[in-house]
């Protein structure tokens, strides 16, 4: 028999096997004996944190499990009971890293466990229990010193927000509420994160998330509204996929530009390249098991016309949004900017004013007619703003 943990012993027994338990199968007409130790699948079990929301609601979060040597984590099952040794009542929660239990009995201590299931739904590991004591009955109305009735029943005035998902390994995820930073959490080396924010006053908020990778490069931001009220004490947002980071790096070859970034390990990274007014083209690469990805471009390709790069990452059915738009600036010479009418290397309000002068005029010089249709219209202003540098 085996367990989901490691074992130690001052002595051991040796037994033989024609072949070790295999992850895959094979056929052979010949074989040879190789000595060594048998290996077994292994899974790390989640670490649970239980929190009280209001007077009778428990929010339980846990760290992601990691499986090796043939096992994979497919889902979780949440268990609740009133005794650490069981029995527990179990509820499947899919791939969520949070579970909520409502209507708990006041004055009772509850215990929670999380079961890790493989891709076929078989239990392959169980966490240690986490406990949470539900306070006793709230104060009852009573007589005050004047003989009157006093006392109030306490009700919840705040909620809890749980956010989990995928970002840049060994980086940091930051959370803002209405533009003010309210939390941050390190990202695990497998690219997952989970943050829980408690005591958020009832109300409506705009929450913003962004990440910073281990090189200090900031990702794009995600924003979403959140509302807390008496019947919505917990908001759980899981499966958030932050965009990859993206930046330029110099290479020893001055004719080549390197584009690098960080995202969820082993994901497919898609970079879109927009050049001038032409349609976008794409290139793909696979991020390493540390989340690193890279692309190489010739400097001539990037400087012929204004070039903008954006990236996203995808794993299976999950896909991140596009990240920040990265515009290439050639440090070794001028670049071609459509709309730079005064040739100062920038497209700004001066160039806008020049273009506005020719609006609705006849015999427009070709250099101002950006879409070459013989007149200055909104389309020309749209092209100019695309190359805008300020």
């Amino acid at each position: 028999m085996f367990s989901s943990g490691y074992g130690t012993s001052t002595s051991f027994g040796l037994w033989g096997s024609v072949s070790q338990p295999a992850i895959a199968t094979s056929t052979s007409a010949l074989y040879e004996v190789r000595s060594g130790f048998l290996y077994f699948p292994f899974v790390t079990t989640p670490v649970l944190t239980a929190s009280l929301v209001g007077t009778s609601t428990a929010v339980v979060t846990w760290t992601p499990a990691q499986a090796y040597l043939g096992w994979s984590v497919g889902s979780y099952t949440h268990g609740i009971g009133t005794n650490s040794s069981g029995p527990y009542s179990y509820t499947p929660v899919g791939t969520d890293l949070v579970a909520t239990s409502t209507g708990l009995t006041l004055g009772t201590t509850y215990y929670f466990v999380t079961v890790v299931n493989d891709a076929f739904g078989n239990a392959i590991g169980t966490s240690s229990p986490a406990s949470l004591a539900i306070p006793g009955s709230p104060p009852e109305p009573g007589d005050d010193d004047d003989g009157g009735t006093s006392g109030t029943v306490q009700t919840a005035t705040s909620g809890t927000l749980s956010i989990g998902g995928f970002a840049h390994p060994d980086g940091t995820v930051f959370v803002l509420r209405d533009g003010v930073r309210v939390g941050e959490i390190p990202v695990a080396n497998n690219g997952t994160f989970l943050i829980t924010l408690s005591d958020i006053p009832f109300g409506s908020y705009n929450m913003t998330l962004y990440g910073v990778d281990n090189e200090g490069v900031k990702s794009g931001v995600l924003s979403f509204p959140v509302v807390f009220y008496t019947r919505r004490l917990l908001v759980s947002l899981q499966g958030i996929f932050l965009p990859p980071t993206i930046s330029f790096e110099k290479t020893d070859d001055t004719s080549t530009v390197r584009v690098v970034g960080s995202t969820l390990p082993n994901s497919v990274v898609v970079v879109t390249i927009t050049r001038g007014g032409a349609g976008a083209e794409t290139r793909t690469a696979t991020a390493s098991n540390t989340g690193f990805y890279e692309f190489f471009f010739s400097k001539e390709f990037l400087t012929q016309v204004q070039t903008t790069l954006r990236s996203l990452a995808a794993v299976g059915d999950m896909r991140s949004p596009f990240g920040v738009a990265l515009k290439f600036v050639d440090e070794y010479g001028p670049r071609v900017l459509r709309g730079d009418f005064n040739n100062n290397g920038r497209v700004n309000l001066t160039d806008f004013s020049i273009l506005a002068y020719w609006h609705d005029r006849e015999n427009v010089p070709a250099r101002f007619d950006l879409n070459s249709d013989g007149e200055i219209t909104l389309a020309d202003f749209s092209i100019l703003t695309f190359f805008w540098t300020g």
Side-chain angles (χ1 to χ4, degrees), residues 15-26:
W15 57 282
S17 175
V18 172
S19 65
Q20 65 182 24
I23 294 175
T25 59
S26 64

Side-chain angles (χ1 to χ4, degrees), residues 73-74 94-97 164-167 190-193 222 237-244 263-270 311-322:
V73 177
T95 57
D96 286 352
L97 301 176
F166 313 97
N190 66 350
T192 60
F193 70 91
L222 297 180
L237 302 171
Q238 305 299 317
I240 301 294
F241 201 160
L242 287 179
T263 187
L264 183 66
N266 304 310
S267 60
V268 176
V269 180
V270 179
S311 64
L312 63 79
V315 175
D317 294 331
M318 298 188 306
R319 192 183 106 164
S320 78
F322 276 106

Side-chain angles (χ1 to χ4, degrees), residues 3-6 40-48 62-69 71-76 97 114-117 124-128 188-190 192:
S3 66
S4 60
Y6 290 110
F40 296 97
F42 174 73
V43 61
T44 63
T45 52
V47 177
L48 274 59
W62 54 88
T63 58
Q66 297 293 311
Y68 306 93
L69 295 177
W71 273 345
S72 63
V73 177
S75 63
Y76 299 96
L97 301 176
T114 296
V115 178
V116 184
N117 306 309
I124 56 177
T126 303
S127 71
S128 298
N189 58 15
N190 66 350
T192 60

Side-chain angles (χ1 to χ4, degrees), residues 28 73 78 102 134 147-148 158 167 216 226 263 275 298 304 344:
S28 176
V73 177
H78 176 63
T102 59
I134 308 300
S158 62
V226 171
T263 187
R275 309 178 68 236
S298 70
Q304 285 178 345
N344 68 345

Side-chain angles (χ1 to χ4, degrees), residues 98-164:
V98 61
T100 305
S101 300
T102 59
L104 302 181
T105 304
L106 302 180
T108 304
T109 297
Y110 287 87
Y111 296 87
F112 308 93
V113 295
T114 296
V115 178
V116 184
N117 306 309
D118 66 11
F120 303 100
N122 302 310
I124 56 177
T126 303
S127 71
S128 298
S131 62
L132 181 66
I134 308 300
S137 300
E140 297 291 340
D143 294 336
D144 59 17
D145 293 338
D146 297 328
T149 300
S150 65
T152 58
V153 177
Q154 295 181 348
T155 58
T157 59
S158 62
T160 297
L161 174 63
S162 176
I163 306 174

Side-chain angles (χ1 to χ4, degrees), residues 33-63:
V33 176
R34 294 182 181 272
S35 60
F37 291 97
L38 300 176
Y39 57 76
F40 296 97
F42 174 73
V43 61
T44 63
T45 52
V47 177
L48 274 59
T49 301
S51 305
L52 180 66
V53 176
T55 58
S56 60
T57 297
V59 177
V60 181
T61 60
W62 54 88
T63 58

